[in-house]
Amino acid sequence: MPDAHDVRRIALSLPDTAEKTAWSMPTFRVAGKMFATLPEDETSCAVRCPKEDRDELVLAEPEKFWIAGHEASFAWIRVRLDALDDEDELRDILADSWRQAAPARLREDHPRLGVAGGE
């Protein structure tokens, strides 16, 4: 099962990603724009997720996904790390979030990253 170390390792392996502490927690940014955080006790991560997709994810897999109250008005969702199937699932989630935050030039340079069946 993936853990906080896996989140950090995978996030930092994505193109043009850097780690920065904000709100007393690690955040991961692509070209300066945040795409993942390791909140609280690092048993979950928060990632970008279009608002129109969040409710469906939470209803389909409530053991994996939830929306934190203070993030409800933003396009973010929480992921329980111990509920993920494996590192590949975590990688897919982080890459999708990276793609949502990445500037066009990086998405063009890495067209399959964060796309189903991609890198």
Side-chain angles (χ1 to χ4, degrees), residues 3-71:
D3 62 19
H5 297 288
D6 297 318
V7 171
R8 180 172 280 111
R9 179 178 49 76
I10 293 167
L12 291 172
S13 75
L14 298 170
D16 203 22
T17 294
E19 181 175 346
K20 179 180 178 183
T21 301
W23 307 287
S24 301
M25 71 177 122
T27 67
F28 301 92
R29 299 162 188 257
V30 55
K33 194 169 181 183
M34 192 165 37
F35 71 91
T37 69
L38 275 169
E40 292 98 29
D41 61 3
E42 298 187 349
T43 61
S44 69
C45 67
V47 294
R48 290 177 172 268
C49 182
K51 287 183 183 181
E52 57 273 10
D53 296 339
R54 293 185 314 174
D55 290 339
E56 184 178 323
L57 282 171
V58 171
L59 286 172
E61 298 184 273
E63 71 285 355
K64 288 183 185 180
F65 303 104
W66 88 98
I67 301 166
H70 67 280
E71 295 167 343

Side-chain angles (χ1 to χ4, degrees), residues 64-97:
K64 288 183 185 180
F65 303 104
W66 88 98
I67 301 166
H70 67 280
E71 295 167 343
S73 60
F74 302 100
W76 287 81
I77 195 167
R78 295 284 182 101
V79 181
R80 289 179 181 89
L81 297 175
D82 65 358
L84 295 178
D85 296 331
D86 53 30
E87 268 189 43
D88 289 338
E89 185 176 23
L90 176 60
R91 183 175 287 105
D92 289 345
I93 290 168
L94 288 170
D96 179 65
S97 187

